[in-house]
Amino acid sequence: MRADTRRRLAAALALFAAALCGSRAEVIDDVLGSVSRGVSFLERQHEHINLDGAVGFVMLQAELKEAVRTWPHTDPLSWAQRTTAVALLKRLDQSLEKAVAALQENDPKYYWEFEPLLSWTFWMVPQEWRATDPSLVYSSTLTTECYDEQLSDKCLTLLLGTWKMNGTPCIVTRPCRDTMTRFGCPHYSLSHQLLYFMIGKMRGCSDLLKGDTRASRANMTEQNYQRIFCSNMMKTNQDIIRDGLTEQTLDIFIENILICGLAGFSDFLKADWLQHILRLQDEEVGCFGRDKSIISQIIGDELLEQLQPHRRVKRREKILPDGCSSHMTAVAVGALGGYLNFYLAEQDITKRPLT
């Protein structure tokens, strides 16, 4: 009787494992299909993508290269999916080369300031996973952003060494340090505080907190800040889901998934959040955040922009002629790359979340 029970249990476990693998394979198929449509969009719109848009696709490029490199050779279906990813990567490489060349021509100053971010080798893909901590959520949060895009850009160029020709990298001014370590910031200020620390690490800056003499921050590390920021970004996303996704909250919701996922926080890569992202994709053109009602208005704006060739392209957002959001498309495809690597890493016990 006991032997029979063991056989039944083993059979049930085998069926469960097969179902789990089948389910994971289906999700990977969905992700690859969505990424393929996103790459098709880039192939058509590479001349119009702004800097943020290009960076999002470069993050995807880094994620895809890592996925192809580490893809588990477990069965013919998995290997067929890898073949699909390899073909996708080839298309992405070609389209990004054109997009980056267009950026360099259309906005050379801005291009040179952020040129390091436009190489896939800059971006580090997580090799292990961790989780956020609800106890680190702020007791109160500011209702307005802590700083503007100009300050964020300045602090990032000081890290990158692109603040002038042959500039010294890893410069941390007191205003930058104080701003990027300020607690209670919401939304994009919060996500860019995290991005600041991530970019510093990837640039090889060894001590972003040097010179911080505040007693209350004496034992804080860069890892501590990353966990605090992502724990609060998790709370933001949970609140957004609780209140219902809106046009105003979609972009920051996906950006938080992208950046904290890239920082290695696996609890952002939730299956139901993935479905939200997949549903946002426009089936016709492959972008995310498309507003068909303003296409005619945007076409008019694009014509005006062509008559003003020296007008600076705003980094954070650009609505393209087909009504697509450059920024939302960028963060969405980047997030999808994160999901792909996470699902592949789940098959490797050494990369499962740390408890």
Side-chain angles (χ1 to χ4, degrees), residues 162-275:
T162 55
W163 53 280
K164 70 172 185 176
M165 288 297 292
N166 301 315
T168 302
C170 301
I171 294 176
V172 181
T173 63
R174 182 170 180 174
C176 287
R177 186 188 63 236
D178 290 351
T179 299
M180 295 303 175
T181 59
R182 182 179 179 182
F183 291 154
C185 293
H187 311 311
Y188 292 103
S189 296
L190 179 58
S191 67
H192 280 239
Q193 285 177 310
L194 172 63
L195 197 59
Y196 178 81
F197 278 93
M198 291 172 64
I199 286 175
K201 178 183 177 182
M202 294 175 189
R203 183 62 180 83
C205 304
S206 58
D207 192 357
L208 300 180
L209 301 174
K210 186 177 181 180
D212 191 344
T213 57
R214 291 172 292 181
S216 60
R217 307 290 181 93
N219 298 316
M220 290 289 290
T221 66
E222 293 169 25
Q223 289 290 322
N224 291 151
Y225 278 109
Q226 288 197 23
R227 175 159 279 170
I228 290 170
F229 295 151
C230 278
S231 296
N232 282 277
M233 291 159 76
M234 171 60 72
K235 178 65 164 57
T236 297
N237 275 23
Q238 290 170 337
D239 289 347
I240 288 172
I241 290 295
R242 181 199 65 204
D243 298 337
L245 282 163
T246 67
E247 288 184 16
Q248 290 71 38
T249 57
L250 279 171
D251 189 85
I252 189 63
F253 175 77
I254 303 173
E255 179 167 311
N256 287 347
I257 295 172
L258 163 63
I259 301 178
C260 285
L262 194 61
F265 289 92
S266 61
D267 44 343
F268 276 82
L269 301 171
K270 302 181 188 298
D272 56 329
W273 289 5
L274 171 61
Q275 293 307 312

Side-chain angles (χ1 to χ4, degrees), residues 62-246:
E63 295 275 12
L64 269 180
K65 286 183 183 290
E66 178 67 8
V68 166
R69 186 184 72 82
T70 62
W71 206 289
H73 191 178
T74 53
D75 55 70
L77 173 59
S78 178
W79 208 240
Q81 289 177 326
R82 182 187 183 276
T83 302
T84 299
V86 169
L88 263 176
L89 185 55
K90 183 178 180 180
R91 290 169 53 203
L92 180 60
D93 288 346
Q94 294 170 345
S95 297
L96 264 177
E97 186 176 345
K98 296 175 183 176
V100 170
L103 271 176
Q104 185 175 0
E105 181 179 344
N106 296 337
D107 199 350
K109 180 180 182 295
Y110 218 48
Y111 166 83
W112 286 114
E113 286 179 344
F114 293 97
E115 187 268 341
L117 307 186
L118 294 169
S119 170
W120 70 268
T121 57
F122 181 88
W123 299 99
M124 298 177 184
V125 177
Q127 298 301 307
E128 59 182 24
W129 300 94
R130 48 188 171 153
T132 57
D133 182 352
S135 71
L136 299 176
V137 172
Y138 303 139
S139 57
S140 63
T141 303
L142 296 173
T143 55
T144 58
E145 300 288 355
C146 290
Y147 54 93
D148 60 22
E149 194 173 272
Q150 284 68 39
L151 177 60
S152 174
D153 286 355
K154 180 63 176 177
C155 293
L156 289 177
T157 58
L158 287 169
L159 281 188
L160 294 169
T162 55
W163 53 280
K164 70 172 185 176
M165 288 297 292
N166 301 315
T168 302
C170 301
I171 294 176
V172 181
T173 63
R174 182 170 180 174
C176 287
R177 186 188 63 236
D178 290 351
T179 299
M180 295 303 175
T181 59
R182 182 179 179 182
F183 291 154
C185 293
H187 311 311
Y188 292 103
S189 296
L190 179 58
S191 67
H192 280 239
Q193 285 177 310
L194 172 63
L195 197 59
Y196 178 81
F197 278 93
M198 291 172 64
I199 286 175
K201 178 183 177 182
M202 294 175 189
R203 183 62 180 83
C205 304
S206 58
D207 192 357
L208 300 180
L209 301 174
K210 186 177 181 180
D212 191 344
T213 57
R214 291 172 292 181
S216 60
R217 307 290 181 93
N219 298 316
M220 290 289 290
T221 66
E222 293 169 25
Q223 289 290 322
N224 291 151
Y225 278 109
Q226 288 197 23
R227 175 159 279 170
I228 290 170
F229 295 151
C230 278
S231 296
N232 282 277
M233 291 159 76
M234 171 60 72
K235 178 65 164 57
T236 297
N237 275 23
Q238 290 170 337
D239 289 347
I240 288 172
I241 290 295
R242 181 199 65 204
D243 298 337
L245 282 163
T246 67

Side-chain angles (χ1 to χ4, degrees), residues 282-334:
D282 185 272
E283 292 292 330
E284 181 185 353
V285 297
C287 71
F288 295 78
R290 188 185 189 197
D291 186 349
K292 297 179 182 179
S293 67
I294 61 171
I295 292 176
S296 59
Q297 173 194 330
I298 296 304
I299 290 174
D301 290 344
E302 287 290 316
L303 290 173
L304 179 63
E305 189 171 291
Q306 289 170 17
L307 296 173
Q308 298 173 294
H310 300 296
R311 177 181 171 194
R312 182 180 179 276
V313 178
K314 187 172 185 286
R315 176 174 62 84
R316 178 166 300 285
E317 183 55 296
K318 183 180 183 183
I319 304 298
L320 301 172
D322 51 13
C324 289
S325 163
S326 181
H327 187 265
M328 192 183 298
T329 299
V331 293
V333 296

